[in-house]
Amino acid sequence: MKPTSIALILLILASSTLTAQGRGGQAGPQVARAAAPIDLTGYWVAIISEDWRWRMITPSRGDFPSIPINLAAQKLAEAWDPAKDEAAGEQCKAYGAPGLMRGPTRLHITWLDDSTLKLETDYGMQTRLFEFGAASRGAAKPSWQGTSVAQWVMAGGGRGRGTAGGARYGSMKSVTTNLRPGYLRKNGVPYSEKTSFTEYWDLLTETNGDQYLVDTNVVNDPVYLQLPWMTAIHFKKEKDGSKWNPEPCDARF
């Protein structure tokens, strides 16, 4: 074989490898499902062992400690009126992604395709899509669940790299933007359309086999928050969907 032919073949192979790996060694979107270091699929139930009075029931107007809101947000929250939300057809304002994940919900996580993870909730009957790779399905108008771009964050060696022996460990990072304005807390604490919602999804397994999903998240809103609001939300895996109980959005309860 001629040297020029050999060089051409090597160039093609190198180009294919870079395309498959993606920038910085991260697995490309076409192999996101196969590259997953953890399995997030299944049914999960929220563990509400903290902030019970703000998460299990609708707090009264003006009950919004722990959220670093500014004066503009405080004025809006103090004027919260669920009847107005219902009349405007906005009874799902507390079910947008930043507020939804703190609700008393069950999750059902599945793969929509090899590059898109789908999360459904029975609380408010919402659906979130996590798209791997820089390219999303297109710029849609703002929605309650927004546009979420995800990536695997691999432990021990950076993104896209495995560990010794072929085992892979890591978590999922997602960044959600393009959100429709909604509520961080059901009693009218607002977030704006400029909000960015960053989440880190980790899987923990006990010695008895019980699995827990931890969603560490940060809400950044330059309009209504003085500081980023960080919380950690916990879910326990259920064996099946027998307790799945879909309920529509409700502005009051």
Side-chain angles (χ1 to χ4, degrees), residues 20-245:
Q21 289 181 342
R23 187 169 150 186
Q26 182 185 2
Q30 71 274 24
V31 293
R33 183 174 184 175
I38 53 176
D39 181 11
L40 300 177
T41 62
Y43 288 91
W44 305 84
V45 61
I47 301 174
I48 303 183
S49 57
E50 58 184 13
D51 295 345
W52 195 95
R53 71 186 178 97
W54 298 309
R55 296 176 62 187
M56 286 298 296
I57 59 176
T58 301
S60 59
R61 185 187 294 111
D63 186 7
F64 40 74
S66 80
I67 306 177
I69 58 175
N70 57 26
L71 184 58
Q74 181 177 334
K75 289 181 177 179
L76 286 176
E78 289 175 344
W80 169 66
D81 185 347
K84 288 184 178 180
D85 289 338
E86 291 169 341
E90 295 194 326
Q91 57 269 29
C92 287
K93 290 187 75 171
Y95 297 79
L100 174 71
M101 299 308 296
R102 292 184 61 77
T105 187
R106 282 183 163 81
L107 312 178
H108 183 210
I109 302 177
T110 57
W111 283 97
L112 180 65
D113 55 44
D114 285 344
S115 61
T116 309
L117 200 62
K118 181 171 73 171
L119 182 154
E120 300 170 278
T121 68
D122 61 356
Y123 178 69
M125 301 167 63
Q126 300 294 303
T127 299
R128 300 183 64 191
L129 298 180
F130 299 91
E131 303 174 74
F132 287 80
S136 68
R137 295 175 183 272
K141 65 179 182 179
S143 65
W144 298 128
Q145 305 313 318
T147 301
S148 298
V149 177
Q151 68 182 68
W152 297 121
V153 180
M154 313 300 266
R159 292 186 301 171
R161 297 183 182 180
T163 56
R168 290 178 294 183
Y169 304 95
S171 61
M172 184 178 81
K173 175 185 177 181
S174 61
V175 179
T176 302
T177 54
N178 197 34
L179 286 160
R180 185 175 173 180
Y183 296 151
L184 292 174
R185 187 168 286 168
K186 205 163 187 178
N187 61 344
V189 179
Y191 64 84
S192 76
E193 73 280 358
K194 294 184 179 180
T195 294
S196 175
F197 185 44
T198 302
E199 298 166 274
Y200 297 88
W201 306 77
D202 291 281
L203 185 64
L204 306 175
T205 303
E206 295 285 358
T207 54
N208 64 357
D210 288 346
Q211 289 190 307
Y212 296 89
L213 177 61
V214 182
D215 176 16
T216 304
N217 59 84
V218 184
V219 181
N220 283 281
D221 183 1
V223 178
Y224 292 129
L225 293 182
Q226 300 182 66
L227 298 167
W229 187 40
M230 177 182 289
T231 59
I233 307 166
H234 304 78
F235 300 86
K236 184 176 181 180
K237 193 166 190 176
E238 298 186 305
K239 62 180 182 179
D240 53 40
S242 59
K243 297 181 181 179
W244 184 255
N245 183 32

